Amino acid sequence: VISKKLSDVSPGYAIYNDQSPGINTKINLRIGGTNPDPYLGMLPSSSDVVLNRWQHWAVSYDPVKQTVMWFKNGNNDKTYAGINIGNMDSGNSRSLTFGYAETWGTFPTIHYQGYLDNVRIYPRALLASEISAIYAETAGAYRDVTSIY
């Protein structure tokens, strides 16, 4: 869905879900940074992405608290502790892409099939209360999708 990553061992991030037809799947975060072992692999959400339903998803990486937190519809979905990757953007000249992630290693090229709206990227970790407020401000403004044109 969103990518700024060159390889498994490079700084950057990719947020995506498995687009297997007809299957509700988790949304995943792959991140890498400047620490000696920058590859952390995949950090999936706890909940599934529900097909044809509007959902608000957010992920926050806090380098000070060393946490990654997933949020679905304003509520904490999953928290990972002890995540110390350093700077995700250091030395990464890759373009930021939406709806597309390029191939690296054995990771396949992904073309997102669906709608994205109101994408926001912040230069700091948001608090849970801020993410809940963003959800409250956007919930109800969108409707479920029954077909994609």
Side-chain angles (χ1 to χ4, degrees):
V1 176
I2 299 171
S3 180
K4 186 173 174 36
K5 189 141 177 66
L6 176 61
S7 70
D8 279 343
V9 295
S10 71
Y13 50 89
I15 301 169
Y16 64 95
N17 73 313
D18 181 357
Q19 297 268 314
S20 300
I23 298 174
N24 292 334
T25 60
K26 308 211 177 329
I27 191 163
N28 302 292
L29 172 67
R30 285 179 89 110
I31 53 177
T34 55
N35 283 348
D37 183 14
Y39 174 62
L40 288 172
M42 191 168 51
L43 301 172
S45 61
S46 180
S47 297
D48 286 340
V49 174
V50 180
L51 297 176
N52 302 320
R53 300 294 306 226
W54 180 87
Q55 295 147 85
H56 178 269
W57 283 92
V59 62
S60 181
Y61 167 59
D62 188 329
V64 175
K65 294 180 182 175
Q66 298 184 358
T67 58
V68 168
M69 296 189 336
W70 276 109
F71 293 84
K72 181 178 180 183
N73 296 335
N75 298 307
N76 182 276
D77 182 69
K78 184 155 189 161
T79 298
Y80 291 90
I83 306 298
N84 182 14
I85 63 161
N87 184 346
M88 286 193 302
D89 261 345
S90 178
N92 184 339
S93 61
R94 203 62 160 188
S95 296
L96 177 64
T97 62
F98 296 89
Y100 172 75
E102 292 185 41
T103 301
W104 72 78
T106 59
F107 190 68
T109 299
I110 295 174
H111 295 273
Y112 180 69
Q113 298 173 15
Y115 293 102
L116 294 175
D117 195 9
N118 203 3
V119 175
R120 302 178 190 189
I121 298 174
Y122 294 88
R124 64 175 180 82
L126 295 184
L127 301 172
S129 60
E130 293 172 307
I131 291 172
S132 293
I134 293 168
Y135 168 70
E137 137 192 335
T138 58
Y142 301 94
R143 59 182 170 76
D144 293 341
V145 176
T146 56
S147 65
I148 297 175
Y149 304 80

